[in-house]
Amino acid sequence: MNLKILPLLVLLTVGLSLFASGCTGPGDSQNNESTGQEAEVAESNQPITVAVSVLPQAEFVEKVGGDKVKTVVIIPPGADPHTYEPSPKEIENVSKASMYVTVGIDMPFEDVWINRFESINSGTLIVNSSNGIKLRGLAAHDHHEEGTEEHAGESEADNEETELDPHIWTSPSNAKIMVEDIYEGLAKIDPENETYYAQNRDAYLKELDALDARIREKLEGKTERNFMVYHPAWGYFALDYNLTMIPVESEGKEPSAEDLAKLVDLAKEKHVKVIFIQPQTSTQSAQAVAEEIGGEVVAVDPLEKDYIANMDNVSDIFARNLV
């Protein structure tokens, strides 16, 4: 045999042997392991689905979670949280969430959803975004008196018969607490990205501090500080900025003729010329009061998603119309 071609025969023999046994031998298992790890990474890189009850919460989740989360909102834009019923498709989408951020106060539909999560997906983390917030009772605090030092959550809120105000996000100081609650939830289900969430949280808290400063500056110098609303959604805002909220609606019901007459007298006494309404609510009673006082009805929406821009806009409107 020609010795020059022996190395070639050896190489061919080894090559055929490796081919017959799978071509790559030990390296094959390493490739499989690598592929598996990449698949896990790819899966972990998928955004975390977070369900929320109302749009402002979606804003908070996305500000903290960045590109690592996607939100599903149970109450869509324009819907009334008190009467909305989700479609089967919406139920399916929400049921896939890894975390559900509740308002946590007097919203019966949230109890329904929590029970659904427990029965469908027991791994869903429930985060109560009212945790740490001093709650106000609607019955006792609908007419917030200027200068009072009493805080919701210290008296009537402890009475089981008192209905609590669920509109916690209308206060920027409450929004900061909600953001903290959301951060803690995301850090719990995704600890590997805790630093990322913390950085996002800190940046957004600074934006909320700046918002609060702007609102205080706009409202500075107002004397009687009274405003009238159809639905009492701005009670926490009133507490934050020492305002007096006068609601047209009483305990979720249209006012009687006698109640309307009293509201007209109160509006005249307090020099109120604007009745604020939500786009989701009826305007009939508000229009009736506005006509009697020679005023107007103005829509302000507490359920807008772009929280800071909306609160800047709303505070501009309040500032222009407060006495």
Side-chain angles (χ1 to χ4, degrees), residues 11-26 28:
L11 289 173
L12 286 173
T13 302
V14 173
L16 288 171
S17 174
L18 289 173
F19 182 81
S21 64
C23 297
T24 56
D28 195 40

Side-chain angles (χ1 to χ4, degrees), residues 59-60 63 179 200-208 308:
E59 174 84 346
F60 301 157
K63 287 295 185 179
V179 166
N200 290 348
R201 173 204 61 191
D202 293 346
Y204 191 56
L205 289 177
K206 289 179 181 179
E207 292 185 47
L208 291 172
I308 288 181

